[in-house]
Amino acid sequence: MYKIVSKKELTPNVKMFEVHAPAVAHKAEPGQFVIIRYKETGERIPMTIAGTDPEAGTVTIYFAEVGKSSTELGMLEEGEEILNFAGPLGNATKIMNYGKILCVGGGVFVAALLYQIEWFKKAGNQVVAVFGFRNKDHVMLEEEVKAIADEAYICTDDGSYGHKGMGMVDELLEREEFDHVFTIGPTSLQKNLSDKTKPYGIPTNVNLFPIMVDGMGMCGACRVTVAGDTRFSCVDGPEFDGHQVDFDELIMRMRVYNPQEKISMVVHNREVD
Ligand SMILES: Cc1cc2nc3c(=O)[nH]c(=O)nc-3n(C[C@H](O)[C@H](O)[C@H](O)COP(=O)(O)OP(=O)(O)OC[C@H]3O[C@@H](n4cnc5c(N)ncnc54)[C@H](O)[C@@H]3O)c2cc1C
Ligand code: FES
């Protein structure tokens, strides 16, 4: 069992857990993920690692309550335990001195990006960060990114805080020269960013979130097409060259269970009421 040693609510639907999982904490690096099962009958939920404290034996995750499983996970309190916390899974981000890098994150995934930025800075990179959110209420980790990155910009879709939309990314690509781009966030954001950086010829690493089940390359659920080849995101990724990913296929596959997920949430809400 894995104890939740601390819990924080960051925005209306985003929670942070620090989980006591010493074996994961000792090995994990940015870019890797865990698969959580919070109870015997629970779904397997993949979550990107957003920090570790090897001495305390803890791993930090940030998650958005988007459906039944993530909402039930968010109902657990500090001191309660998670049944399974498997990891670290997937390949770590290649941390080295790329030079000047642009890091673009969206929504809850900015937490995992911040963890990468810490390591990129330690490796000597000059980091420009852009964090995007739906609106003012969803902005998180602003002070933290401003403290670490060389330049940091906050954007909101509706312009209620910071810069409106993601036009700042176009501006940065136009006026500055980047050696590499890294992104974690909603798939549409990663696709758009890859489309934007392609004409500039800037290598762009995306971090994909296809449906996953086992997280170990056995079930095939996380299949993605990269450079025309079938790859399994859990063992070959989750980071890939964004210019080679078939995003349209990925987005279609991610929607496959939408009807079942909606029904499951309706049933959950009835049970809670
Ligand atoms: C490698 C990886 C890392 C992730 N890291 C994070 C993270 O750090 N924070 C975070 O909030 N979310 C993360 N996700 C997404 C998270 O796993 C899903 O939001 C969660 O499983 C949704 O479950 P649900 O029952 O609450 O919602 P549902 O209603 O079941 O699904 C809502 C949406 O979540 C996605 N989803 C559902 N089940 C899965 C699954 N088994 N695997 C992948 N995606 C699924 C689908 O796109 C679906 O449309 C990650 C996903 C992957 C694959
Ligand atoms: S999640 Fe099963 S093969 Fe990747």
Side-chain angles (χ1 to χ4, degrees):
M1 298 291 275
Y2 301 86
K3 195 176 196 167
I4 300 163
V5 296
S6 75
K7 175 184 179 179
K8 247 191 233 161
E9 284 192 34
L10 282 105
T11 74
N13 75 331
V14 171
K15 303 222 156 62
M16 182 282 284
F17 279 176
E18 242 181 303
V19 179
H20 189 248
V24 184
H26 279 106
K27 283 200 208 142
E29 290 182 24
Q32 293 186 293
F33 63 96
V34 289
I35 291 196
I36 295 172
R37 204 162 58 109
Y38 54 94
K39 63 176 184 186
E40 196 66 54
T41 53
E43 251 188 326
R44 298 162 70 85
I45 318 175
M47 291 288 162
T48 309
I49 294 166
T52 62
D53 181 339
E55 268 180 40
T58 57
V59 176
T60 306
I61 53 162
Y62 288 72
F63 61 95
E65 294 168 328
V66 291
K68 182 184 177 219
S69 299
S70 49
T71 303
E72 285 191 353
L73 184 67
M75 288 163 76
L76 295 180
E77 297 300 340
E78 213 168 276
E80 289 194 277
E81 291 178 329
I82 292 170
L83 181 65
N84 301 127
F85 196 84
L89 299 168
N91 299 293
T93 303
K94 189 170 179 189
I95 305 287
M96 59 176 219
N97 192 346
Y98 292 90
K100 184 169 179 179
I101 61 174
L102 175 63
C103 294
V104 181
V108 64
F109 298 99
V110 300
L113 187 58
L114 188 65
Y115 181 36
Q116 284 189 349
I117 291 173
E118 280 172 30
W119 283 52
F120 283 138
K121 281 303 299 170
K122 281 184 202 150
N125 291 280
Q126 189 186 344
V127 178
V128 179
V130 179
F131 280 11
F133 305 94
R134 219 182 305 164
N135 59 42
K136 188 173 189 274
D137 294 340
H138 289 84
V139 174
M140 56 187 258
L141 302 176
E142 178 181 4
E143 276 177 27
E144 288 81 352
V145 69
K146 288 188 168 162
I148 298 174
D150 296 278
E151 276 174 61
Y153 302 93
I154 304 295
C155 308
T156 50
D157 293 343
D158 63 359
S160 53
Y161 190 79
H163 301 267
K164 187 170 182 190
M166 294 300 272
M168 176 48 67
V169 171
D170 299 295
E171 242 181 272
L172 287 166
L173 289 172
E174 196 56 51
R175 74 166 191 236
E176 299 186 29
E177 278 193 16
F178 294 100
D179 298 298
H180 215 106
V181 173
F182 290 85
T183 179
I184 313 185
T187 306
S188 55
L189 172 102
Q190 303 201 48
K191 176 187 186 321
N192 290 342
L193 184 66
S194 302
D195 290 344
K196 283 182 199 297
T197 57
K198 203 169 180 177
Y200 292 94
I202 311 171
T204 300
N205 284 37
V206 294
N207 195 307
L208 306 182
F209 309 116
I211 300 285
M212 288 190 183
V213 181
D214 66 336
M216 290 176 185
M218 305 289 284
C219 69
C222 68
R223 172 165 69 75
V224 287
T225 303
V226 182
D229 293 327
T230 296
R231 311 291 298 276
F232 293 144
S233 198
C234 63
V235 287
D236 299 323
E239 261 191 35
F240 292 102
D241 173 355
H243 299 151
Q244 303 288 339
V245 172
D246 184 340
F247 279 105
D248 294 334
E249 179 196 59
L250 172 63
I251 290 168
M252 204 179 65
R253 284 178 57 80
M254 286 174 75
R255 291 183 180 147
V256 159
Y257 298 110
N258 275 5
Q260 290 88 338
E261 284 155 359
K262 281 196 183 119
I263 294 167
S264 169
M265 196 59 199
V266 170
V267 172
H268 165 81
N269 287 338
R270 279 206 195 126
E271 282 168 2
V272 171
D273 288 347

